[in-house]
Amino acid sequence: MNTHTVATTPFNDQKPGTSGLRKKVVVFQSPRYLENFVQAVFETIFDAAAAPSGCTLVLGGDGRYYNREAIQVILKMAAANGFGRVMVGKGGILSTPAASCVIRKYKTFGGIVLSASHNPGGPDGDFGIKYNIGNGGPAPEKVTEAIYTKSKTISAYRMLDAADVALDAVGETSLGNMKVQVFDPVSDYAELMESLFNFAAIRNLLAGGFLRIKFDAMHAVNGPYAKEILERRLGAPVGSVMNAVPLEDFGGGHPDPNLTYAHDLVEIMYGAEAPDFGAASDGDGDRNMILGQRFFVTPSDSLAVIAANATLVPGYKKGLAGIARSMPTSAAADRVAQALNIPCYETPTGWKFFGNLMDAGKVTMCGEESFGTSSDHVREKDGLWAVLFWLNILAVRRQSVESILREHWAKYGRNFYSRYDYDGLPTAAAQGVMSHLQNNFGQLTGAQFGKYTVKFCDDFSYTDPVDGSVSSGQGVRIIFTDGSRIVFRLSGTGTEGATLRVYLEAYEADTSRHHLDAQVALADLIRIALQISELKQRTGREQPTVIT
Ligand code: VG1
Ligand code: CO
């Protein structure tokens, strides 16, 4: 078999966002686009990261449209670039947390995950590619920057001239001098989950019919994982997992587990015959939504409850070293950390900022308001892990989800929370809102809006406590004297125009107000946010696209 070196020119638009490179499928399909980026990744791995030739790479994706084609390209390029072995999930399937698990378990040099996460798929949808390092986590900024720099100077890529590799049966084949190992994408992950949670107790609950559950895989990657773990290993009745077959276009849906897009599940959980517990995960299986009977758990609260109940779960019975949350995530977890007398770190948005803290043993658990929760068992967020954590808590406490939340709020106070997303804005208008805020927040300190007084405003900057690297411009924060907050930031995962996110949080200690709807409790803050940002005038939008 021959290796071809193909002359090419850079595209200059391959800057990774919050979580890898995401573009429309048609962009990835354009000649040389995928090849150029993959070559930039491989040269970074072998040059900048000094990978030994012959090392192993993990490869797989969420099964979306173009997954199989991209895997064939990457395999032939890996063979031509000096890898000794590539481990590929059967059928090209591998959830993001399972990729992290496998990289760690087999100590591979790194991995490539093909996914655009919660973004829609199909020929008109999105595609994405992300490189994970040897700790199993997303490459940190210094690596993604090195890849981006390479991508701008690339002049050739290397590819083996070979037939496509069969991906649908477990086994080992050769591609030139490289081995291709097709493995079962579920079993290592399922085994890891069994090592952390009390499967016997959860099995009693589910198989015994004491707790009725519904899990919505949203036609995305977690279907096979949830079927195996929830139905086969834990005995939930067949049909407890819905939309379980991964489809290339996610059934035309938006595989984002929130109250808007997980409507099939929401209808069931808010209906007359609602089960006791509901959950959903996203395209690549790293996000989760937790529901009780006619009851929604905000992701920020979910992190706090999980942390507060951690010692009920075998894998965490020794307690937590610390907690980390992204800056826009509510401070509910901070209150738990304070009560437990452990540190709580505040990082920029994106899972790549948690890796160093976990590697250094500073934190055990991490979470983001965007339906992401996980721990140091992997280096990614993990949707099914969060679901199993809740099931383990329910198996021990034998209470409803709602009563667990109400007790939690009574003990720690309630952090009312909501996020408003304005999608598909003209980039100039969205940037206009941000620069208006950046230019004016200096004058806001001390300003009074009804019962709220501004304590301080800034553009969030983070210094990594482990390696000292600085990430600035991570979102404008307006913090009030009572701890309430408004945060504005631009999304780094969209592929159409710009998405502006407005995050709102108000702390309420008074138990008699805990039953309020978040939108009611936050009404004043929402008005203030719109007023300060001039959002309506500058974007022409009366309403957000999605409220979570
Ligand atoms: C969003 C979320 C962020 C999350 C990221 C990746 O980023 O806000 O919290 O880490 O998606 O999630 P942004 O830049 O659009 O706000 V996923 O499930 O892609 O892996
Ligand atoms: Co995701």
Side-chain angles (χ1 to χ4, degrees), residues 137-308:
E141 277 190 333
K142 67 174 193 305
V143 178
T144 57
E145 281 305 315
I147 294 170
Y148 179 47
T149 305
K150 284 268 185 207
S151 80
K152 288 188 291 189
T153 55
I154 204 126
S155 59
Y157 65 84
R158 284 192 293 280
M159 192 149 186
L160 192 74
D161 187 14
D164 281 0
V165 178
L167 296 177
D168 292 306
V170 167
E172 195 168 292
T173 48
S174 292
L175 194 57
N177 296 324
M178 186 182 87
K179 297 276 181 243
V180 178
Q181 180 189 340
V182 177
F183 68 97
D184 171 13
V186 176
S187 57
D188 293 308
Y189 177 82
E191 199 178 287
L192 177 60
M193 293 302 113
E194 280 206 54
S195 75
L196 297 172
F197 298 104
N198 187 341
F199 268 41
I202 303 174
R203 201 181 158 79
N204 274 338
L205 199 66
L206 300 183
F210 298 108
L211 189 90
R212 292 169 308 135
I213 66 165
K214 204 78 178 169
F215 180 89
D216 188 351
M218 302 191 82
H219 296 297
V221 78
N222 255 355
Y225 295 85
K227 276 263 169 203
E228 172 64 24
I229 294 172
L230 298 175
E231 292 186 2
R232 287 186 209 109
R233 299 198 186 196
L234 291 169
V238 173
S240 298
V241 180
M242 61 197 276
N243 299 326
V245 179
L247 299 176
E248 286 199 329
D249 66 348
F250 308 115
H254 203 130
D256 198 355
N258 59 41
L259 293 175
T260 304
Y261 294 124
H263 38 75
D264 290 358
L265 176 72
V266 169
E267 218 163 274
I268 294 170
M269 292 307 298
Y270 281 78
E273 300 291 304
D276 309 298
F277 178 84
S281 56
D282 72 333
D284 59 332
D286 59 355
R287 296 185 176 205
N288 75 91
M289 174 171 71
I290 302 294
L291 300 172
Q293 214 170 46
R294 292 177 282 282
F295 188 85
F296 169 66
V297 183
T298 70
S300 297
D301 277 347
S302 179
L303 172 65
V305 168
I306 282 176

Side-chain angles (χ1 to χ4, degrees), residues 18 22 117 282 286-287 368 370 381 489 491-493 501:
T18 315
R22 284 191 197 163
S117 185
D282 72 333
D286 59 355
R287 296 185 176 205
E368 293 191 281
S370 54
K381 53 187 185 261
R489 66 176 277 281
S491 154
T493 58
R501 305 200 195 283

